[in-house]
Amino acid sequence: MLPFMKMHGLGNDFVVVDARANKFEVTPALAKGIAHRQFGLGFDQLAVISAGEAGSASDAHLTFYNADGSTSAACGNATRCIARFLMDERQKDALHLTTDRGDLMAQDAGEGLTSVNMGPPQLEWDEIPLAEAMDTLELPIEGAPTATGMGNPHCTFFVENAELIPLEDFGPRYEYHPLYPQRTNVQVAHVAGPDHIRMRVWERGVGVTLASGSSSCATAVAAARRGLTGRKVRIDLDGGTLWIDWRADGVWMTGPTMHVADGAFTRQFLESLAS
């Protein structure tokens, strides 16, 4: 029996395994099996909580897996959900988390909201990364999207109306674009008002999702760089609203979280994925 938690941030849903007491190894086959929404449990990302490194200030380390079994260095909404769980558990209003993206600070924002500093955006072509040197503000792709790294790569298209873009066809066309050697998350967005963005997202290794925290951060950074908004914006996604604030110390993301249920995977199910 393997305990798990089911959480979501604006419908961007996660299976979370707490491996602080007992180490837990994730294989691509295991991640894909759990992710299957008919034969498994279903998730956009799988997150594993590990103990912070001994002697460090870290409260916990987070590792993320996509629904196709690939890994991701960052997952903003999952980080917020887990931060809320750990803050409640420890009766703290701030946390120091580590991920493959780096150190992330989280804090209680009041009124049931949780904030996470996703770190400074990566704006140089080799940091994102892109396949070759170029201006990341407007890529040589139809629609002139903006490239941004938030610990994972992003490609943001500013369009007249994000609602009208058929993401199921549009997203995979650019996820595998040769300019992105590690594939990319794809966003379509339009400015809905002063410092107000409407955005929809295709996540790398997942598909269409109701929300994405790192995508929201990347879109806010791209909009500010292009002069479309200021550095503090509201972003409306299919699943709800996030507030993004690009500050000197990084890109802060604030929004609600939901701890849906606790459960346990059976031995039969886990053994079926190992065969």
Side-chain angles (χ1 to χ4, degrees), residues 18 29 42 49 130 159 165 192 210 231:
D18 189 346
I49 309 173
L130 299 177
V159 298
I165 303 298
L210 294 178
R231 292 165 66 108

Side-chain angles (χ1 to χ4, degrees), residues 26-104:
V26 177
T27 64
L30 179 63
K32 290 172 68 175
I34 295 174
H36 200 290
R37 295 195 181 272
Q38 286 74 42
F39 292 104
L41 184 63
F43 63 73
D44 291 334
Q45 276 83 28
L46 169 68
V48 178
I49 309 173
S50 304
E53 187 175 342
S56 75
S58 172
D59 290 287
H61 181 82
L62 309 183
T63 308
F64 306 107
Y65 301 84
N66 295 317
D68 67 353
S70 61
T71 58
S72 178
C75 182
N77 279 328
T79 300
R80 283 191 309 101
C81 288
I82 295 168
R84 170 55 57 188
F85 165 73
L86 293 174
M87 285 190 290
D88 290 345
E89 175 190 73
R90 300 184 179 194
Q91 296 185 332
K92 299 173 67 173
D93 58 10
L95 288 175
H96 179 168
L97 303 173
T98 56
T99 68
D100 291 345
R101 155 73 162 150
D103 290 27
L104 305 180

